[in-house]
């Protein structure tokens, strides 16, 4: 199974502060040729190229970073979610600093940016990674699993001991549901009680009530929420961004419980290992036909 490769039609850009670094960067999306994939280009460092692939990734619980040698680009997940949700397979993301601007904490501004650029088919196809056996990773009471299905579905559950969150569950079907309307606007969130610890660790330095949902022990400080279950919707957004690091579309039914970027990352790694093992085990005659692991 294959889908059409797609890039954008024109260059577009946006400027803003990084959630964790507090550094302002200029981000520009440029069309890219078929087969190049999604690549971060550090325009401030002689155009050093970092592919948006799992092999270049380090994930903390708070954000996902891609890097090469000592150079990195942080908080890539919301932008990557927007890129793949728009069906873009090949794109150069020029950035003049170490972190993608957080803008409003969601993927919506990036989807609008891609929409403004327009998109075009590249006359080439990309194989879809179709899951044939269940794959699961877990860590205590956190888990994430994918099982074979004929389309991508994500079922996510969270459980935070907090009066404004508690238990939330959301089911998103990529064939039937509208990502732009249901998932893209969901914003990132953070707890006041973690701020000091995060800042001491060099994180959350750009976080404000303008770019994330801030919670104290009693409730949301900067309401209203965009959805009553905005938190779990944002977890789906994060997962879609982290899945983009597979480097091609994936099809299966995903069930996630209380996961985060670190577990998402282990999950993506396990999917890639399973896909490589399956490709190696396939007879050569079948391998060519089923290059897609389909
Ligand atoms: Zn996020």
């Amino acid at each position: 199974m294959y889908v059409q490769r797609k890039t954008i039609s024109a260059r577009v850009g946006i400027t803003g502060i990084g959630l964790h670094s507090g550094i302002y960067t200029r981000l520009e999306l440029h069309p890219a040729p078929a087969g190049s994939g999604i690549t971060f280009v550090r325009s401030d460092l002689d155009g050093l190229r970092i592919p948006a692939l799992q092999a270049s990734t380090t994930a903390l619980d708070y954000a996902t970073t891609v890097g090469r040698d000592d150079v990195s680009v942080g908080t890539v997940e919301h932008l990557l979610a927007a890129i793949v949700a728009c069906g873009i397979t090949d794109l150069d993301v020029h950035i003049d600093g170490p972190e993608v601007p957080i803008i409003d904490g969601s993927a919506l501004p990036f989807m609008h940016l891609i929409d403004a650029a327009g998109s075009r088919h590249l006359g080439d196809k990309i194989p879809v990674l179709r899951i044939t056996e269940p794959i699961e990773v877990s860590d205590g009471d956190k888990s994430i699993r994918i099982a074979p299905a004929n389309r991508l579905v994500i079922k996510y559950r969270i459980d935070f001991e907090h009066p404004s969150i508690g238990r939330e569950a959301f089911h998103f079907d990529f064939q039937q549901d509208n990502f732009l309307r249901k998932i893209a606007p969901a914003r990132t969130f953070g707890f006041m009680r973690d701020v000091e610890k995060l800042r001491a660790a060099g994180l959350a330095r750009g976080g404000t009530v303008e770019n994330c949902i801030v919670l104290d022990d009693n409730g949301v400080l900067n309401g209203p929420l965009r959805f009553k279950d905005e938190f779990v919707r944002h977890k789906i957004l994060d997962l879609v961004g982290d899945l983009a690091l597979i480097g091609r579309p994936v099809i299966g039914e995903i069930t996630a419980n209380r996961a985060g970027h670190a577990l998402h990352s282990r999950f993506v790694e396990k999917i890639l290992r399973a896909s490589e093992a399956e490709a190696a085990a396939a007879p050569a005659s079948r391998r060519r036909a089923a290059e897609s692991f389909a």
Side-chain angles (χ1 to χ4, degrees):
M1 188 183 176
Y2 294 84
V3 294
Q4 288 274 351
R5 282 192 170 272
K6 225 163 101 173
T7 192
I8 56 172
S9 301
R11 292 182 180 185
V12 282
I14 196 167
T15 302
I17 195 169
L19 175 64
H20 293 300
S21 62
I23 293 173
Y24 277 87
T25 55
R26 172 78 182 159
L27 179 101
E28 281 185 11
L29 307 181
H30 294 199
S36 58
I38 298 161
T39 311
F40 287 89
V41 182
R42 280 291 296 264
S43 47
D44 57 329
L45 297 172
D46 297 328
L48 180 101
R49 297 176 68 84
I50 308 169
L53 292 172
Q54 180 62 23
S56 326
T57 299
T58 50
L60 295 169
D61 272 332
Y62 301 103
T64 300
T65 297
V66 293
R68 189 177 141 193
D69 305 326
D70 289 335
V71 178
S72 62
V73 178
T75 318
V76 295
E77 59 269 21
H78 307 154
L79 172 65
L80 289 179
I83 292 169
V84 298
C86 292
I88 301 296
T89 57
D90 300 275
L91 187 71
D92 279 353
V93 180
H94 290 244
I95 185 163
D96 64 357
E99 188 179 8
V100 173
I102 190 69
I103 316 294
D104 73 346
S106 82
L108 201 55
F110 299 123
M111 289 194 81
H112 288 153
L113 195 63
I114 294 166
D115 189 49
S119 63
R120 61 184 171 90
H121 288 297
L122 286 164
D124 200 357
K125 288 177 178 171
I126 184 167
V128 171
L129 194 155
R130 190 164 185 157
I131 298 303
T132 55
E133 295 285 340
I135 297 167
E136 181 168 359
V137 293
S138 62
D139 175 15
D141 58 1
K142 304 171 181 177
S143 67
I144 178 163
R145 180 179 199 270
I146 189 165
N150 61 5
R151 59 186 189 268
L152 179 60
V153 173
I154 299 181
K155 298 173 178 175
Y156 216 118
R157 280 177 187 283
I158 56 172
D159 188 358
F160 281 86
E161 275 186 36
H162 189 281
S164 298
I165 311 181
R167 286 189 189 157
E168 289 183 357
F170 201 80
H171 179 155
F172 189 81
D173 181 327
F174 281 77
Q175 205 164 298
Q176 290 174 2
D177 297 327
N178 186 326
F179 189 89
L180 179 73
R181 209 161 45 79
K182 291 190 169 179
I183 302 294
R187 293 162 298 165
T188 194
F189 55 97
F191 299 91
M192 280 303 288
R193 61 176 182 234
D194 296 337
V195 165
E196 237 167 81
K197 193 178 67 188
L198 287 170
R199 291 202 169 148
L203 297 164
R205 291 183 175 176
T208 71
V209 291
E210 303 298 320
N211 58 28
C212 67
I213 304 168
V214 182
L215 300 118
D216 68 7
D217 289 341
N218 304 312
V220 174
L221 290 181
N222 54 342
L225 295 176
R226 291 179 177 177
F227 307 99
K228 69 174 185 348
D229 52 3
E230 187 166 356
F231 306 100
V232 71
R233 292 183 194 229
H234 185 79
K235 298 297 273 189
I236 292 180
L237 196 168
D238 280 341
L239 178 56
V240 172
D242 290 337
L243 288 172
L245 296 162
I246 289 173
R248 54 183 166 138
V250 63
I251 283 185
E253 185 176 300
I254 297 176
T255 313
N257 279 303
R258 311 180 69 167
H261 293 297
L263 201 63
H264 294 171
S265 186
R266 279 180 49 207
F267 179 60
V268 165
E269 238 168 79
K270 197 162 178 183
I271 290 174
L272 285 168
R273 275 204 307 275
S275 125
E276 280 160 18
E278 179 151 330
S285 57
R286 229 186 72 208
R287 211 177 300 154
R288 195 184 307 261
E291 199 194 350
S292 63
F293 180 46

